[in-house]
Amino acid sequence: MGDREKLRQHFLDQPAEAQTSRWDALWKQQTTPWDRSTPSPALVDTLLEKKYVLGPIPQDGKRRKALVPGCGRGYDVLLFASHGYDAIGLDASETAIEACKVLDAQQGNDESKYPIVDSSIERGSRTFVLADFFMNDFLKASDAPQFDIIYDYTFLCALPPALRPKWAKRMTELLAPNGRLICLEFPLSKPPSTGGPPHGLSSDLYTELFKAPGEDVKYDADGYAVQSEGVAGRGLKRIAHWAPTRSHEVGQGSDHVSIWRHN
């Protein structure tokens, strides 16, 4: 049985309220096939090569803030900090957050793994919070209610499909007025009808979710999002979309990166 099928079976017929304990159980068992030991190469390249679409740098001396929901072991949080962001990683698994803190102690200031990108900005802070993404408790760890950068990779695809509209609304609420949401779209090669997690996604799904965040999306018989008429109004607008040259092997050749901002 492959890793994806094991995950699907682990969550099969489980109610949404049982999801957190099921993820934590996998961490306790050290069954973490999604853990690639490094940040995604697609994110590494995005932060280095797409600065012109990542939003303006504040002129008031304040650090930009990054949020990584479903942060896993925290590799991406450490990467954002190396770019000068004060980065917050969220996870609903207590065991995952403990693993984040261990990794941060071992590698958070390691120049060979996470070199400071701009010495004039220096390394940002790393904070790991055990929290529910859909609740406001974790905002106590930040001195602002919104974020300049939010990064989603393997978070949307891990959620039950019924929570997708709530995910889109929450992302819109947490993104600062001039902020950017980076979505590493995965898995795009997996048919949605095969279930999950990870649940198969499509680029059209992201577009439909952000047209009217919080509202349901229509799906066809195969589980793909049906494109609706009209354009995003109160939602988020996609300002860049590409197939990355590099990504983790599991998504190489099919992953896409999209960047979103408020209308």
Side-chain angles (χ1 to χ4, degrees):
M1 184 184 299
D3 288 337
R4 287 188 179 180
E5 180 59 20
K6 289 179 182 177
L7 282 177
R8 191 187 74 83
Q9 291 287 342
H10 184 74
F11 288 92
L12 188 64
D13 299 326
Q14 294 293 321
E17 57 269 21
Q19 297 283 313
T20 296
S21 62
R22 301 296 285 177
W23 285 111
D24 196 52
L26 291 172
W27 277 97
K28 283 183 166 66
Q29 298 165 12
Q30 299 184 20
T31 303
T32 56
W34 57 85
D35 191 324
R36 308 293 171 183
S37 300
T38 64
S40 169
L43 179 61
V44 173
D45 294 345
T46 295
L47 294 181
L48 289 173
E49 300 171 3
K50 304 291 183 177
K51 293 180 181 180
Y52 63 95
V53 293
L54 292 181
I57 297 175
Q59 301 301 312
D60 55 8
K62 293 183 179 179
R63 285 187 181 274
R64 292 199 289 179
K65 297 186 179 298
L67 175 67
V68 183
C71 67
R73 202 176 297 271
Y75 307 109
D76 302 319
V77 175
L78 270 57
L79 179 66
F80 276 110
S82 74
H83 282 261
Y85 291 90
D86 284 341
I88 295 179
L90 297 185
D91 210 285
S93 164
E94 182 176 5
T95 310
I97 292 299
E98 291 172 355
C100 287
K101 293 176 180 179
V102 170
L103 181 74
D104 186 40
Q106 295 173 340
Q107 300 183 10
N109 294 307
D110 188 337
E111 280 290 315
S112 67
K113 293 184 178 295
Y114 298 95
I116 293 174
V117 175
D118 186 341
S119 59
S120 67
I121 300 176
E122 299 184 343
R123 193 182 305 277
S125 63
R126 293 91 59 196
T127 305
F128 299 99
V129 184
L130 175 66
D132 182 340
F133 171 71
F134 298 105
M135 304 295 288
N136 285 332
D137 295 357
F138 73 87
L139 293 176
K140 297 174 184 177
S142 173
D143 60 7
Q146 295 178 310
F147 296 85
D148 303 291
I149 292 284
I150 306 176
Y151 175 59
D152 185 294
Y153 174 53
T154 69
F155 182 53
L156 176 60
C157 70
L159 294 174
L163 289 180
R164 290 171 181 170
K166 192 175 181 181
W167 168 90
K169 183 179 180 181
R170 186 66 167 152
M171 286 292 190
T172 304
E173 294 169 344
L174 291 172
L175 191 65
N178 290 318
R180 300 291 187 266
L181 168 64
I182 304 173
C183 293
L184 179 47
E185 301 172 1
F186 168 88
L188 299 186
S189 62
K190 181 182 180 182
S193 59
T194 58
H199 296 275
L201 307 177
S202 68
S203 293
D204 286 342
L205 173 62
Y206 289 84
T207 301
E208 292 303 312
L209 285 168
F210 286 127
K211 280 183 180 178
E215 295 187 10
D216 289 335
V217 170
K218 292 183 179 180
Y219 298 91
D220 65 20
D222 295 318
Y224 289 96
V226 176
Q227 295 186 56
S228 61
E229 296 182 0
V231 296
R234 55 187 170 83
L236 301 182
K237 177 181 180 180
R238 191 175 72 186
I239 58 173
H241 192 224
W242 72 93
T245 303
R246 302 191 304 149
S247 197
H248 284 313
E249 184 178 355
V250 68
Q252 184 68 45
S254 61
D255 285 354
H256 277 66
V257 178
S258 55
I259 298 182
W260 306 78
R261 66 167 173 80
H262 287 285
N263 275 303

